[in-house]
Amino acid sequence: MRKRQAKKRPILPDPKFNDQLVTRFVNMMMWDGKKSIAFKIFYDAMDIIEDKKQDEEKSALEIWKEGLS
C-alpha cells in the first residue's frame, strides 16, 4: 500500500489541436502505452473527416466534438 495518495497530474493538451479533450480521448484509446500510435490513428481520422466534410463552416474537430455529445 502507498503511504499517501498519488498526486494528480495535469492533462496536457495535444500538440496539434491544443485541446485537453483530445488528449483524454487518445489516452482512453491507447493500448499498451502506445500513445504515438494512438495519436497517429486519431489525426488520420481527423484528416479523413476533413476530406469528407460537406459543411465548410465547421472544422473536423468541431464535427468530432459534436459526435461525442
Side-chain angles (χ1 to χ4, degrees), residues 26-35 37-38:
V26 168
N27 285 345
M28 295 300 291
M29 186 174 65
M30 177 174 52
W31 284 357
D32 297 328
K34 305 286 186 176
K35 188 177 269 191
I37 293 172

Side-chain angles (χ1 to χ4, degrees), residues 10-40:
I11 296 176
L12 299 175
D14 74 300
K16 187 172 182 180
F17 296 113
N18 200 24
D19 192 2
Q20 288 183 345
L21 186 61
V22 171
T23 303
R24 287 182 57 206
F25 185 81
V26 168
N27 285 345
M28 295 300 291
M29 186 174 65
M30 177 174 52
W31 284 357
D32 297 328
K34 305 286 186 176
K35 188 177 269 191
S36 61
I37 293 172
F39 267 120
K40 183 177 182 333

Side-chain angles (χ1 to χ4, degrees), residues 31-68:
W31 284 357
D32 297 328
K34 305 286 186 176
K35 188 177 269 191
S36 61
I37 293 172
F39 267 120
K40 183 177 182 333
I41 291 168
F42 181 79
Y43 290 148
D44 289 346
M46 290 292 109
D47 290 339
I48 291 169
I49 291 172
E50 193 71 38
D51 292 340
K52 290 187 176 185
K53 74 177 182 175
Q54 298 163 351
D55 187 11
E56 294 299 325
E57 295 176 6
K58 294 183 180 180
S59 68
L61 186 64
E62 291 171 347
I63 293 170
W64 173 75
K65 284 185 178 181
E66 186 177 301
L68 283 180

